[in-house]
Amino acid sequence: MIGASEELLRVGETSAKTLEALISTWVWVSIVTRSALSVLFRVYPFIRENLGKGTLRIPKQVLEEVQALLLLAVFFVADLQVEWSTEVLM
């Protein structure tokens, strides 16, 4: 995922289907830190509008979102052995 993202940033083009698969993986990983999902804004419309069109040059704004995910990846951590809290914060 990280290597594929770095390659996308280097090359700057791929198919919308491949981008969708890459972003889906990022979403799965970032579920533990949901705020990371707020980075993705332009990537979804780009994917939706370009599915089935083959290899495309990826817009700068979409590449910036992928780069932001790479920079935030260090925070995508969860300790699954920590006890669940019964306290609800509102």
Side-chain angles (χ1 to χ4, degrees), residues 7 9 29 67 72:
E7 182 67 8
L9 292 175
V29 169
Q67 186 173 30
L72 292 169

Side-chain angles (χ1 to χ4, degrees), residues 3-42:
S5 298
E6 291 171 338
E7 182 67 8
L8 174 61
L9 292 175
R10 187 183 71 74
V11 175
E13 60 184 31
T14 191
S15 70
K17 189 68 177 168
T18 301
L19 181 60
E20 180 181 41
L22 177 63
I23 295 302
S24 295
T25 305
W26 275 110
V27 167
W28 186 85
V29 169
S30 64
I31 289 295
V32 297
T33 54
R34 302 191 100 172
S35 59
L37 298 173
S38 66
V39 168
L40 303 173
F41 178 72
R42 291 185 174 92

